[in-house]
């Protein structure tokens, strides 16, 4: 398999240049002002897939942005790998915190990426990681050919909740038929400690609106005599956690998976440097649910966080006013067996019950999704493990991640297939933040590891027939 690494070494500069061209397209799905760039990015992904040898490529229209579908079927008797990824990115704001413009990729060294990292929005989430799969196909084609069939489904609405993907998947189960789904849209522990994501959290996301008086009031003339929606909202939010940092919504924990002592003991072995974690964030202490470690808090436990809060006067100087309305956006990260819809309902009932009579509460549910756990004993995990051993020289650790890719649970339900999450990003790569980056080492290691996965998966699959 030496051919794979030498092909990559020979072509790495071009791989980077090609990725840069894709990154330069500001495909921000959340902002309709970028709709044309979304179409351009979809088209660019389609062309890239055609260029590496897909025999059929198409842009599948949806009610939102198109899904790029491509395939190369070499033999129906061989297994099929379906690659999923997304070409949309998060909005880059706040812009003034970027050291270089978000859509002008630049390679700079960092402590964790001495070989350089690509700084740009989407570098890691998910253009860089998705593009590794396209280049991995090129590598396979140029070093002996694909060992099995390959399909790609690259969407443009992941960062806004994948609203149209569910219909597409349900309507195209035959087309999407596969033996395993392969995704690189998560992370690993460190460049010398490879890991594979074996769990994702679910998500329930709501917006709340608290209305007091029918108009903004003079805070001198009315202050003290009416409920101030901002004060009420903050009190309501504050009461959502108790002194042990547990969530107070009745029924919230009812279906939470109890992770076995054995699995928790395994988790405790995962290398995690608490001091480095605190230092990187400039915090003196971590914070969270009593009785759980930091790794547990961010993976196997559900959470509730305020993502945004606003209302009243926030401009320059002082304005004495009692706002009529106050708002907040709240996310709840869920663990397996908690159902997103049910949690949204429990939240809504409880939150409304917290309001004093002087205000009214409106709840707007946003997108959500279910969590996912895979047991590291299946064929796909074994194949991935063998691939990492070849390229990193050691077996990957199974790790449950805290983020969400809601479509993974849906894939399992509709396509009846397992997903392997081979993520190559680091938590410190600042996805969704200013100065997002992706290590050049990680990008190239991903391109190298993926072909080995195909070979091992095909071999194990054949042996198991
Ligand atoms: N790639 C991330 C999810 C992720 C990142 C999972 C790192 C695990 C580790 C994905 O693009 C994302 O941002 N998902 C959203 C949810 C979505 C419904 C908007 C998230 O997790 O907030
Ligand atoms: Mn992503
Ligand atoms: Mn994301």
């Amino acid at each position: 398999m030496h051919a794979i690494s030498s092909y990559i070494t020979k072509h790495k500069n071009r791989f980077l240049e090609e990725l840069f061209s894709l990154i330069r397209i500001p495909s921000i799905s959340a902002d309709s002002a970028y709709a044309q760039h979304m179409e351009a990015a979809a088209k660019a992904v389609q062309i890239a897939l055609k260029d590496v040898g897909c025999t059929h490529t198409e842009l599948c229209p949806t009610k939102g942005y198109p899904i790029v579908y491509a395939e190369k079927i070499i033999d129906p008797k061989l297994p099929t790998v379906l690659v999923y990824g997304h070409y949309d990115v998060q909005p880059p704001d706040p812009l003034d915190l970027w050291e270089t413009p978000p859509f002008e990729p630049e390679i700079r060294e960092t402590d964790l990426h001495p070989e350089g990292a690509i700084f740009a929005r989407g570098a890691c989430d998910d253009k860089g990681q998705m593009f590794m799969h396209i280049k991995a196909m090129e590598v396979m084609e140029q070093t002996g050919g694909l060992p099995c069939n390959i399909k790609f489904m690259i969407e443009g609405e992941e960062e806004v909740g994948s609203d149209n993907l569910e219909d597409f998947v349900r309507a195209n189960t035959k087309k999407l038929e596969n033996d395993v789904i392969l995704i690189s849209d998560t992370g690993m522990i460190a460049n010398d400690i490879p890991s594979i994501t074996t769990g994702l959290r679910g998500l329930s996301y709501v917006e709340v609106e608290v209305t007091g008086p029918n108009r903004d009031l003079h805070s001198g003339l009315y202050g003290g005599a009416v409920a101030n929606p901002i004060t009420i909202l903050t009190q309501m939010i504050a009461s959502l956690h108790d002194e042990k940092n547990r969530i107070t919504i009745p029924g919230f924990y009812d279906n939470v998976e109890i992770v076995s002592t054995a699995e928790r003991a395994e988790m405790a072995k995962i290398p995690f440097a608490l001091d480095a974690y605190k230092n990187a964030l400039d915090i003196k202490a971590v914070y969270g649910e009593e009785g759980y470690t930091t790794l547990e808090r961010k993976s196997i436990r559900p959470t509730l966080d305020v993502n945004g809060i606003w209302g009243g006067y926030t401009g320059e100087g002082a304005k004495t006013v009692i706002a009529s309305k106050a708002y907040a956006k709240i996310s709840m990260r869920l663990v397996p067996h908690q159902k997103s819809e049910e949690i949204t309902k429990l939240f809504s009932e409880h939150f409304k019950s917290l309001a004093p009579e002087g205000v009214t509460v409106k709840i707007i549910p946003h997108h959500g999704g279910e969590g996912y756990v895979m047991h590291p004993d299946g064929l796909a995990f074994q194949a991935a493990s063998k691939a990492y051993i070849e390229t990193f020289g050691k077996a990957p650790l199974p790790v449950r991640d805290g983020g969400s890719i809601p479509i993974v649970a849906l894939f399992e339900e509709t396509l009846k297939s397992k997903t392997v999450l081979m993520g190559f990003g680091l938590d410190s790569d600042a996805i969704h933040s200013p100065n997002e980056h992706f290590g050049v080492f990680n990008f190239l290691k991903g391109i190298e590891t993926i072909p080995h996965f195909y070979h091992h998966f095909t071999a194990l699959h054949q042996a198991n027939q």
Side-chain angles (χ1 to χ4, degrees):
M1 290 286 170
H2 179 63
I4 295 177
S5 59
S6 51
Y7 185 88
I8 294 169
T9 308
K10 196 159 160 221
H11 296 275
K12 66 176 188 198
N13 290 333
R14 174 173 55 82
F15 290 175
L16 284 165
E17 268 316 313
E18 289 176 6
L19 171 61
F20 284 14
S21 305
L22 181 63
I23 287 176
R24 286 192 191 101
I25 307 172
S27 45
I28 307 167
S29 50
D31 188 343
S32 58
Y34 291 81
Q36 276 192 354
H37 298 293
M38 289 298 298
E39 302 289 332
K43 192 89 207 143
V45 170
Q46 184 192 15
I47 292 169
L49 285 163
K50 201 173 160 64
D51 286 348
V52 295
C54 287
T55 48
H56 169 76
T57 69
E58 62 182 303
L59 286 186
C60 309
T62 70
K63 285 188 197 124
Y65 295 118
I67 292 165
V68 188
Y69 177 81
E71 62 176 36
K72 180 165 179 182
I73 307 297
I74 57 167
D75 180 351
K77 288 192 289 297
L78 286 169
T80 301
V81 176
L82 171 67
V83 176
Y84 163 83
H86 60 97
Y87 63 82
D88 64 323
V89 301
Q90 286 276 329
D93 12 355
L95 280 176
D96 53 319
L97 295 183
W98 284 80
E99 278 171 41
T100 47
F103 296 105
E104 292 172 30
E106 191 186 275
I107 294 180
R108 291 198 296 276
E109 282 170 28
T110 73
D111 287 349
L112 292 178
H113 296 295
E115 294 167 52
I118 308 153
F119 279 80
R121 172 56 86 234
C124 180
D125 185 11
D126 180 39
K127 284 175 175 166
Q129 296 215 64
M130 176 265 287
F131 200 66
M132 294 181 317
H133 289 270
I134 303 185
K135 290 300 105 179
M137 173 163 177
E138 174 182 327
V139 172
M140 288 187 277
E141 287 285 55
Q142 300 305 320
T143 57
L146 293 179
C148 63
N149 305 310
I150 187 165
K151 294 177 177 176
F152 288 88
M153 179 175 74
I154 312 295
E155 70 153 322
E157 298 183 306
E158 198 278 340
E159 299 292 9
V160 288
S162 302
D163 284 347
N164 297 296
L165 193 62
E166 179 165 351
D167 285 350
F168 179 80
V169 172
R170 290 194 194 280
N172 291 283
T173 48
K174 186 90 195 120
K175 180 183 200 146
L176 300 173
E177 227 168 37
N178 64 77
D179 295 284
V180 68
I181 296 171
L182 182 56
I183 303 180
S184 294
D185 194 20
T186 53
M188 59 179 195
I189 300 175
N191 284 0
D192 57 351
I193 312 170
S195 59
I196 289 179
T197 303
T198 50
L200 292 165
R201 286 195 285 194
L203 179 67
S204 162
Y205 200 108
V206 293
E207 191 170 324
V208 299
E209 181 189 299
V210 173
T211 307
N214 60 4
R215 60 182 170 88
D216 287 6
L217 303 174
H218 188 289
S219 68
L221 296 183
Y222 290 90
V226 295
N228 179 326
I230 298 177
T231 312
I232 300 291
L233 173 63
T234 54
Q235 287 167 349
M236 290 165 74
I237 287 173
S239 78
L240 294 174
H241 288 94
D242 67 14
E243 66 289 344
K244 291 183 172 160
N245 269 314
R246 280 174 67 89
I247 294 152
T248 54
I249 300 168
F252 185 85
Y253 290 98
D254 281 2
N255 297 318
V256 165
E257 173 198 33
I258 316 247
V259 176
S260 67
T261 345
E263 190 176 346
R264 289 181 70 185
E266 276 308 306
M267 280 188 78
K269 292 187 200 151
I270 297 171
F272 179 73
L274 189 59
D275 282 328
Y277 185 81
K278 290 190 285 191
N279 286 341
L281 301 175
D282 278 331
I283 50 174
K284 285 207 189 74
V286 289
Y287 188 85
E289 187 183 0
E290 204 176 285
Y292 294 92
T293 65
T294 297
L295 275 186
E296 290 172 339
R297 287 170 180 168
K298 68 187 197 73
S299 62
I300 59 166
R301 297 299 295 166
T303 60
L304 181 150
D305 274 291
V306 179
N307 292 238
I309 182 164
W310 69 104
Y313 183 72
T314 57
E316 201 183 323
K319 178 184 178 193
T320 49
V321 66
I322 296 172
S324 162
K325 286 176 188 289
Y327 308 83
K329 291 189 195 268
I330 295 172
S331 68
M332 287 162 276
R333 294 285 169 173
L334 312 177
V335 295
H337 312 316
Q338 281 185 299
K339 292 270 162 281
S340 168
E341 244 174 70
E342 208 173 293
I343 293 294
T344 301
K345 202 167 143 246
L346 289 177
F347 173 91
S348 305
E349 282 164 8
H350 178 64
F351 204 70
K352 283 185 178 153
S353 79
L354 292 175
E357 257 187 72
V359 300
T360 53
V361 174
K362 191 166 132 190
I363 316 255
I364 304 138
H366 285 276
H367 54 241
E370 316 304 343
Y372 182 74
V373 258
M374 79 154 347
H375 294 283
D377 43 20
L379 270 197
F381 189 91
Q382 278 179 45
S385 199
K386 284 173 184 273
Y388 282 70
I389 290 171
E390 292 199 48
T391 56
F392 284 89
K394 47 177 111 165
L397 296 173
V399 172
R400 288 172 60 165
D401 237 313
S404 310
I405 310 177
I407 200 65
V408 174
L410 188 92
F411 282 152
E412 178 156 71
E413 183 209 318
T414 49
L415 303 175
K416 312 275 177 262
S417 42
K418 292 280 166 211
T419 296
V420 207
L421 297 155
M422 290 176 40
F424 292 92
L426 301 184
D427 277 0
S428 52
D429 284 347
I431 62 171
H432 294 206
S433 291
N435 305 308
E436 173 178 351
H437 54 279
F438 187 40
V440 173
F441 167 88
N442 305 65
F443 176 62
L444 298 173
K445 222 23 162 196
I447 299 175
E448 187 188 349
T449 308
I450 293 162
H452 290 282
F453 170 79
Y454 280 77
H455 286 108
H456 288 297
F457 183 74
T458 307
L460 287 175
H461 192 271
Q462 299 290 82
N464 262 273
Q465 283 292 292

